[in-house]
Amino acid sequence: MIRARIIGTGSYLPARVLANAELAATVDTSDEWIVERTGIRQRHIAAEGEFTSDLGTAAARRALDSAGLSPADIDLIIVATATPDQTFPACATVIQHKLGMTHGVAFDIAAVCSGFLYALSVADALLTSGAHRTALVIGAETFSRLLDWEDRTTCVLFGDGAGAVVLRAETGTGTAADHGILAHRLHSDGRYNDLLYVDGGPGSTGTTGKLRMKGREVFRHAVTNLANVMTETLAAAGLAADDVAWVIPHQANLRILEGTARKLNLPLDRVIVTVQAHANTSAASVPLALDTAVRDGRIKTGDLLLLEAMGGGFTWGAAAVRW
Ligand code: UT7
């Protein structure tokens, strides 16, 4: 049977760092509040003229380098983003062009913070069906441009960044010992659209709009939904929480990571935490965390990874991946 295996990772954060203390000079907040309630210490902000496609292209190039491949080897690009450079064309085709590719297929997926899990699942389906062989899956966002910088309940939480993986179709045995994506599960429930949304859009207001969130309610759903989908995904792979070497979570709030780990009886030292360094980068946060832990040597061949995310929609999902 065919498995989609991750053979390279890369990430990119814009140069400009915005620390909590600097934010506290412009809105009624404090470093203490932000650290205590979220774990966030800083976020990166894209420069003027630096777009989501630039962040995504930089992360993709690093992922290709780490896989030892070039754009010529890629036949599928899926970009998860809620902040494309333009309403259309898809950010994926912009990145395709920036990579110098005129072959293959490139398209975007809109599932906000869960976007990378959605994109990974679609790539897995297209690779394991035999339709494509080598894919770039990218999460790239410039959420700084969606924020209301006067709203302290949201502007302290998000940042810009990108992460990418290269996936290749390989032959597996069909057991949980295979390398690659072993199982994934996705969910959505549109009843909760109004708990986390942007108050504009090309088809309604004709403007981009600003991010709005009822944080406390999102938090409550997040821990339950994430713990459930993680358990469901492990069961689909024939595995249990004890088998997990590393949880690679969406980085929204340290307390969500702690609460979710507790529900699965997993110690926090098996959870990759990067939220302190870049805040919530939406679809970019899972591949940013993955790339960090691959490059610092924590993730080793054979490790079972459990990727998870939850975001606006609501959307949520998880994937079990053997490294
Ligand atoms: O990526 C998609 C998923 N998104 C998330 O997962 C976000 C989920 N939610 C959260 O992470 C948390 O709910 C927040 C970090 C957004 C808020 O933390 P909280 O502990 O739930 O705080 P709260 O909303 O209950 O607010 C507590 C207090 C309020 O004041 P009062 O009403 O108790 O007087 C807020 O007005 O904290 C106040 N507050 C702030 N104070 C200082 C809210 N934001 C700030 C702030 N600085 N930035």
Side-chain angles (χ1 to χ4, degrees):
M1 93 176 267
I2 302 174
R3 294 284 195 193
R5 181 172 183 180
I6 300 177
I7 58 164
T9 65
S11 60
Y12 173 81
L13 290 164
R16 161 96 167 100
V17 173
L18 178 58
N20 290 348
E22 200 181 334
L23 257 181
T26 57
V27 281
D28 182 16
T29 189
S30 65
D31 180 47
E32 295 70 35
W33 191 94
I34 301 171
V35 171
E36 190 189 309
R37 298 295 181 116
T38 72
I40 296 164
R41 295 186 180 275
Q42 61 175 43
R43 69 285 297 138
H44 291 248
I45 306 292
E48 208 185 314
E50 187 178 38
F51 302 129
T52 296
S53 65
D54 297 314
L55 277 52
T57 303
R61 285 193 195 284
R62 290 175 184 178
L64 284 166
D65 281 350
S66 84
L69 298 183
S70 78
D73 301 308
I74 299 297
D75 60 7
L76 172 67
I77 300 176
I78 307 181
V79 176
T81 188
T83 46
D85 303 3
Q86 296 152 273
T87 302
F88 77 80
C91 196
T93 62
V94 180
I95 292 175
Q96 179 191 29
H97 179 58
K98 286 184 175 174
L99 290 173
M101 292 170 59
T102 53
H103 65 281
V105 57
F107 61 89
D108 287 0
I109 286 207
V112 207
C113 298
S114 313
F116 186 78
L117 268 299
Y118 274 60
L120 198 68
S121 303
V122 173
D124 181 57
L126 289 172
L127 262 52
T128 56
S129 75
H132 293 270
R133 284 202 48 76
T134 315
L136 259 173
V137 175
I138 303 166
E141 303 276 20
T142 46
F143 258 50
S144 63
R145 300 194 171 116
L146 284 183
L147 297 175
D148 174 351
W149 287 98
E150 290 176 2
D151 175 9
R152 70 174 183 173
T153 70
T154 53
C155 76
V156 304
L157 302 174
F158 296 90
D160 302 337
V165 300
V166 177
L167 286 166
R168 187 167 61 199
E170 291 191 355
T171 306
T173 61
T175 70
D178 283 348
H179 298 285
I181 299 174
L182 303 176
H184 46 79
R185 288 292 182 270
L186 302 175
H187 291 275
S188 60
D189 186 344
R191 270 180 304 174
Y192 301 108
N193 272 324
D194 61 344
L195 295 185
L196 175 49
Y197 65 100
V198 170
D199 63 4
S204 52
T205 58
T207 62
T208 304
K210 295 293 177 204
L211 183 149
R212 307 292 171 203
M213 176 165 72
K214 298 198 174 89
R216 206 177 313 177
E217 284 157 79
V218 176
F219 190 109
R220 201 165 44 80
H221 286 276
V223 175
T224 307
N225 288 345
L226 288 170
N228 287 346
V229 76
M230 289 160 81
T231 305
E232 183 191 0
T233 303
L234 285 171
L239 296 163
D242 275 353
D243 298 312
V244 175
W246 298 105
V247 179
I248 320 284
H250 170 46
Q251 311 284 324
N253 185 324
L254 180 59
R255 289 187 296 134
I256 294 179
L257 307 193
E258 289 167 346
T260 311
R262 207 174 305 123
K263 274 205 173 213
L264 265 81
N265 254 329
L266 281 164
L268 197 63
D269 61 11
R270 273 156 65 190
V271 180
I272 303 298
V273 181
T274 55
V275 68
Q276 71 287 349
H278 55 66
N280 183 345
T281 56
S282 181
S285 85
V286 169
L288 266 165
L290 176 65
D291 187 48
T292 300
V294 167
R295 283 175 195 268
D296 69 21
R298 274 178 288 177
I299 294 176
K300 301 203 162 44
T301 304
D303 280 355
L304 179 70
L305 314 183
L306 188 57
L307 284 53
E308 49 92 329
M310 142 107 190
F314 291 151
T315 56
W316 64 104
V321 177
R322 176 83 58 199
W323 200 250

